[in-house]
């Protein structure tokens, strides 16, 4: 696991992008819980956000890919709508330790 940031640096019900092990990831905080995913849409393998740190739909209920609008559940990354329906984002394990957010090291990208 790698230290990401203090929990207080993440706004509640907001998403934020990071680079970890040279891989783009993003996290979403929901109260005392944090979800982390690789920033890679299963449709075309590209990053999801439309603006820096903007990974959620307008209601903040689902993760949204900016390119073709695929929607994913926040709690498990499952695609509920869009061209990659039935596939999932790659989840990364998260541990909150004494107010610090630690995230599973994403595997290095094959080149
Ligand atoms: S690239 Fe994400 S929905 Fe097409």
């Amino acid at each position: 696991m790698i230290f990401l940031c203090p929990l207080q640096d993440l706004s509640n019900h907001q998403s934020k992008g990071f680079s970890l092990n040279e891989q783009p990831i993003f996290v979403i905080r929901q109260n005392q819980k944090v979800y982390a995913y690789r920033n890679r849409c299963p449709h075309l393998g590209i990053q999801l956000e439309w603006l820096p740190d903007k990974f959620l739909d307008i209601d903040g209920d689902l993760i949204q890919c900016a390119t073709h609008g695929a929607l994913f559940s926040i709690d498990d990354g499952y695609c509920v709508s869009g061209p990659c329906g039935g596939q999932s984002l790659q989840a990364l394990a998260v541990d909150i330790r004494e107010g610090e957010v630690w995230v599973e090291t994403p595997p290095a990208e094959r080149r």
Side-chain angles (χ1 to χ4, degrees), residues 41 43-46 65-70 72 83-84:
C41 181
H43 182 213
L44 294 183
I46 58 177
C65 178
T67 304
H68 306 110
F72 305 85
C84 43

Side-chain angles (χ1 to χ4, degrees), residues 61-97:
D61 293 335
L62 292 163
I63 298 162
Q64 183 168 37
C65 178
T67 304
H68 306 110
L71 296 168
F72 305 85
S73 299
I74 291 175
D75 56 354
D76 62 5
Y78 183 75
C79 181
V80 295
S81 166
C84 43
Q87 299 183 67
S88 295
L89 298 169
Q90 188 179 340
L92 299 167
V94 176
D95 203 8
I96 313 277
R97 304 175 190 165

